[in-house]
């Protein structure tokens, strides 16, 4: 069973330099190359999906027959 903390750790490992959560306004921020910008387009959700799919892709190779 995969824990939520494990999934969060993977997300940070893959995209931690591009995403932040701001506790003041309670929103996700994305780095646009110049500044941190509020994620108003659902980019974080897409990155989460990419991370989950990457874990699924890795799973068969980590299982022993």
């Amino acid at each position: 069973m995969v824990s939520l903390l494990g999934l969060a750790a993977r997300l940070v490992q893959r995209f931690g330099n591009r995403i932040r959560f701001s506790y003041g306004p309670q929103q996700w921020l994305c780095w646009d190359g110049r500044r941190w910008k509020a994620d108003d387009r659902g980019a974080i959700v897409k990155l989460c999906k990419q991370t989950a799919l990457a874990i699924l892709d890795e799973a068969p190779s980590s299982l022993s027959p």
Side-chain angles (χ1 to χ4, degrees), residues 7 10-11 14-15 45-59:
L7 292 171
R10 281 289 183 96
L11 179 68
R14 292 175 54 118
F15 302 109
V45 172
K46 291 177 186 175
L47 297 177
C48 290
K49 288 178 182 179
Q50 287 178 21
T51 301
L53 291 172
I55 292 169
L56 288 176
D57 288 343
E58 294 168 10

Side-chain angles (χ1 to χ4, degrees), residues 2-60:
V2 178
S3 73
L4 289 178
L5 288 177
L7 292 171
R10 281 289 183 96
L11 179 68
V12 170
Q13 180 183 19
R14 292 175 54 118
F15 302 109
N17 60 334
R18 296 172 36 196
I19 61 174
R20 295 287 185 271
F21 186 77
S22 176
Y23 287 96
Q26 297 287 303
Q27 66 183 359
W28 282 100
L29 305 171
C30 295
W31 182 251
D32 70 1
R34 294 181 309 162
R35 63 188 171 98
W36 292 101
K37 185 176 176 186
D39 178 25
D40 55 0
R41 296 183 177 209
I44 300 296
V45 172
K46 291 177 186 175
L47 297 177
C48 290
K49 288 178 182 179
Q50 287 178 21
T51 301
L53 291 172
I55 292 169
L56 288 176
D57 288 343
E58 294 168 10

